[in-house]
């Protein structure tokens, strides 16, 4: 018989996998809540046009898209950003600013299979709308760091690389490049880490050979790793734009430092981000060892809400993926092992005792206790074994002798001590016994 498997790049979540994913989602939600972000969700299927031209060529080529039965061109969402822009744009007038929203959701990209990259994955998305100043960046970078530190990861495990597309454009303009040339250079910078010099080939193809001295300056700029180096590189230019931008940089870095998070963040002009809509600061999180693909990525995208038909609304945000986060937690031994044990196990004599037991089991469950019992009639010995294997803290014993006396025996599974309680006091006795442990 043919056996069916999940499609390549898609995952089944068996209960043990599910508990791991739930742990990740729980930490993300708790963290976002502590930062005052509100949770939202949206459809997994969207109009194809929401992504074409707005997200960028790479994502466009990876869309799971089709024509639905009504003839609509649709796509499974590859990311949340266009959707959240659509939602916020539609109600921007009514929303209290700054708008701080988050979501935990699944996304679909037809990626080439590789470690840390799947075709269905989850992301935490955190975004702020309506704040043009770098205060929004401070808040989001702090949120990103805490979304990872919340698992017990430290500055020795991961870091955030901060860069700036505005600064790149202002710098390239000061060097004499026009807007189109600058865009080509930035896409080369985006690929430089992976491809080296090859990345600049497409520049030569479109705009002709790049002046060697200018290229040196571009390469020098992309290797900048500190604010001091950045200040030094920009010192020769007398540009108001560059000066104002440096002030924003100082604000972001000093804000993050004041939160005690300076060790998590590195200036790194080599990051420019592939997505088409970013306009200013951009950032990515990586594991320190460099074993894994990016943990998270984000940045400012001040034009996207408007491009998608909404008002002119500045925005900045990021997304963390569950796949690389999960891999890093496993690597560092920070993925807890989850024991799934009941509070109580009911040991039941025979069919006639079952009725009495069922009434209590239902009452205990309604009170919030996790109670298990054997579906079929079993010898007491087997039931006690099952109770021990289940990891239950207490066993409730419903034998014919006990019921004849209108009592239930409660056995503490850790030391096997037993005590008798009147049947109408089982709930109170269980509450007492479990309150201590
Ligand atoms: P992104 O860099 O495309 O940004 O994705 C963010 C994170 O999602 C990545 O760093 C990675 O952890 C995870 N991720 C992306 N693709 C895959 C995949 N195929 N398999 C597993 N994990 C993946 C965005 O999606 C932007 N929309 C983020 C954003 C929010 N910008 C502003 N707001």
């Amino acid at each position: 018989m043919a056996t069916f498997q999940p499609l390549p790049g898609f995952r089944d979540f068996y209960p043990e996998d599910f508990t791991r994913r739930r742990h990740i989602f729980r930490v993300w939600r708790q963290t976002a809540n502590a930062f005052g972000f509100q949770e939202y969700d949206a459809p997994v299927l969207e109009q194809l046009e929401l992504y074409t031209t707005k997200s960028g060529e790479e994502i466009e080529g990876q869309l799971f898209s089709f024509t639905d039965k009504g003839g609509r061109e649709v796509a499974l969402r590859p990311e949340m950003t266009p959707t959240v822009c659509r939602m916020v744009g539609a109600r921007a007038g009514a929303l209290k600013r700054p708008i701080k929203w988050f979501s935990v959701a699944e996304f679909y990209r037809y990626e080439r299979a590789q470690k840390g990259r799947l075709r269905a994955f989850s992301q935490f998305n955190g975004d702020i709308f309506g704040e043009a100043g770098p205060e929004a960046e401070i808040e989001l970078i702090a949120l990103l760091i805490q979304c990872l530190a919340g698992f017990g990861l430290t500055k020795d495990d991961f870091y955030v690389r901060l860069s700036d597309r505005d600064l790149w454009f202002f710098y390239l303009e000061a060097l004499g490049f026009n807007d189109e040339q600058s865009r080509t250079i930035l896409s080369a910078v985006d690929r430089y880490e992976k491809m080296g010099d090859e990345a600049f080939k497409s520049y030569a193809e479109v705009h002709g050979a790049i002046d060697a001295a200018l290229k040196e300056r571009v390469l020098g700029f992309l290797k900048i790793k500190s604010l001091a180096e950045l200040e030094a590189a920009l010192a020769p230019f007398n540009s108001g734009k560059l000066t104002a931008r440096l002030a924003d940089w100082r604000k972001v870095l000093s804000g993050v430092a004041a939160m005690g998070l300076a060790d998590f963040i590195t200036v790194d002009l080599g990051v420019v981000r592939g997505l088409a809509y970013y306009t200013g600061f951009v950032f990515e999180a990586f594991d320190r060892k460099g074993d894994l693909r990016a943990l998270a990525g984000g940045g400012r995208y001040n034009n996207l809400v408007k491009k998608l038909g909404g008002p002119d609304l500045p925005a900045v945000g990021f997304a963390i993926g569950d796949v690389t986060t999960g891999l890093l937690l496993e690597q560092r031994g920070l993925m807890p092992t989850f024991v799934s044990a009941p509070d109580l196990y009911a040991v039941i004599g025979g069919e006639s005792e079952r009725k009495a037991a069922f009434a209590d089991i239902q009452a205990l469950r309604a009170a919030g206790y996790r109670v298990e019992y054997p579906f079929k009639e079993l010898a007491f010995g087997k039931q006690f074994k099952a109770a021990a294997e289940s990891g239950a803290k207490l066993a409730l014993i419903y034998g014919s002798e006990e019921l004849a006396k209108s009592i239930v025996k409660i056995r503490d599974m850790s030391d096997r001590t037993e005590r008798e309680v009147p049947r109408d006091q089982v709930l109170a006795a269980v509450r007492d016994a479990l309150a201590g442990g």
Side-chain angles (χ1 to χ4, degrees):
M1 207 176 80
T3 53
F4 291 104
Q5 288 179 347
L7 291 166
F10 285 73
R11 290 170 289 177
D12 288 327
F13 289 90
Y14 283 85
E16 61 272 25
D17 309 314
F18 194 88
T19 53
R20 285 189 208 113
R21 188 176 71 172
R22 194 172 53 194
H23 173 63
I24 294 176
F25 289 2
R26 192 193 300 129
V27 169
W28 285 346
R29 286 201 164 97
Q30 277 170 357
T31 307
N33 188 46
F35 278 72
F37 281 64
Q38 287 184 293
E39 188 164 6
Y40 66 94
D41 199 2
V44 292
L45 202 61
E46 289 271 19
Q47 233 174 292
L48 174 66
E49 222 191 314
L50 192 61
Y51 309 110
T52 44
T53 72
K54 280 116 193 161
S55 292
E57 269 170 39
E58 191 178 347
I59 280 201
E60 221 182 304
Q62 296 171 339
L63 285 173
F64 276 90
S65 55
F66 58 94
T67 310
D68 78 3
K69 289 183 174 139
R72 295 174 199 89
E73 296 290 323
V74 294
L76 287 172
R77 60 183 176 197
E79 58 159 337
M80 195 57 113
T81 314
T83 297
V84 72
C85 285
R86 173 176 71 63
M87 288 171 70
V88 168
R91 296 214 182 148
L95 297 169
K96 212 171 130 265
R97 299 189 192 176
I99 301 156
K100 305 199 316 188
W101 280 16
F102 84 95
S103 59
V104 177
E106 193 168 47
F107 300 91
Y108 310 88
R109 295 183 194 176
Y110 201 89
E111 293 244 19
R112 230 173 351 101
Q114 50 184 312
K115 190 176 160 199
R117 285 287 176 272
L118 297 173
R119 288 180 181 168
F121 56 95
S122 296
Q123 281 183 346
F124 168 93
N125 273 260
D127 292 88
I128 297 180
F129 296 87
E131 177 52 64
E135 293 77 10
E137 274 83 349
I138 297 172
E139 179 85 334
L140 283 163
I141 291 168
L143 174 62
L144 165 56
I145 292 171
Q146 192 54 38
C147 273
L148 292 166
F151 296 103
L153 292 166
T154 69
K155 63 177 174 42
D156 300 323
D157 298 313
F158 75 94
Y159 67 117
V160 177
R161 299 161 76 183
L162 180 66
S163 182
D164 184 356
R165 289 179 69 93
D166 270 351
L167 196 67
W168 263 108
F169 277 110
F170 299 160
Y171 178 70
L172 293 171
E173 186 187 358
L175 291 184
F177 290 101
N178 66 32
D179 200 56
E180 211 182 308
Q181 290 168 326
S182 297
R183 276 175 204 290
T184 319
I185 289 184
L186 280 204
S187 72
V189 171
D190 188 34
R191 283 169 292 142
Y192 186 75
E193 203 163 319
K194 260 192 226 147
M195 298 171 61
D197 218 37
E198 279 283 295
F200 283 90
K201 255 197 170 156
S202 51
Y203 183 92
E205 281 160 18
V206 185
H207 306 289
I210 187 168
D211 177 88
L214 283 181
K215 189 171 162 191
E216 274 315 302
R217 298 187 77 164
V218 169
L219 290 179
F221 204 65
L222 80 76
K223 285 171 189 154
I224 285 177
K225 290 277 168 6
S226 70
L227 184 63
E229 285 176 63
L230 186 57
E231 284 168 338
L234 298 180
F237 300 97
N238 187 11
S239 146
K241 278 196 221 168
L242 283 173
T243 311
R245 202 57 194 154
L246 267 181
D248 286 345
W249 267 84
R250 288 192 197 99
K251 201 163 194 179
V252 171
L253 291 173
S254 69
V256 171
M259 288 180 175
L261 304 173
D263 290 342
F264 285 97
I265 189 160
T266 315
V267 176
D268 190 337
L269 273 291
V271 171
V272 291
R273 307 265 305 140
L275 292 163
Y277 45 68
Y278 291 115
T279 52
F281 282 109
V282 284
F283 46 94
E284 285 187 335
F286 285 87
D287 68 300
R288 283 268 182 208
K289 281 197 186 152
D291 289 346
L292 301 169
R293 304 285 313 257
L295 296 162
R300 191 166 271 283
Y301 50 100
N302 282 348
N303 306 327
L304 192 57
V305 178
K306 192 165 185 199
K307 262 195 191 155
L308 294 171
D312 204 351
L313 196 62
V316 48
F318 70 87
I320 317 181
D322 71 322
V323 183
T324 35
T325 301
L327 287 171
L328 184 61
L329 294 180
E330 301 278 358
Q331 267 188 13
R332 298 294 191 275
L334 286 170
M335 186 63 93
T337 38
F338 297 93
V339 277
S340 172
D343 301 306
L344 305 158
Y345 193 99
V347 170
I348 307 169
E351 237 7 86
S352 42
E353 287 77 38
R354 208 160 258 264
K355 251 196 179 153
F358 271 20
D360 288 0
I361 288 169
Q362 176 58 25
L364 286 160
R365 286 175 166 173
Y369 292 104
R370 181 165 155 191
V371 190
E372 292 194 41
Y373 64 91
F375 281 171
K376 297 280 177 327
E377 214 175 305
L378 285 177
F380 273 115
K382 284 205 169 139
Q383 293 193 54
F384 280 117
K385 193 163 170 245
E389 281 171 4
S390 76
K393 297 177 196 78
L394 303 175
L396 301 179
I397 305 163
Y398 291 87
S400 53
E401 277 171 37
E402 284 82 8
L403 291 185
K405 291 193 280 175
S406 271
I407 58 125
V408 176
K409 261 197 205 128
I410 300 185
R411 178 186 284 198
D412 186 323
M413 295 302 289
S414 62
D415 58 11
R416 296 185 170 216
T417 53
E418 287 183 355
R419 65 194 181 99
E420 297 184 344
V421 296
R423 275 215 46 218
D424 57 3
Q425 288 170 33
V426 169
L427 182 57
V430 162
R431 196 172 282 146
D432 267 3
L434 292 178

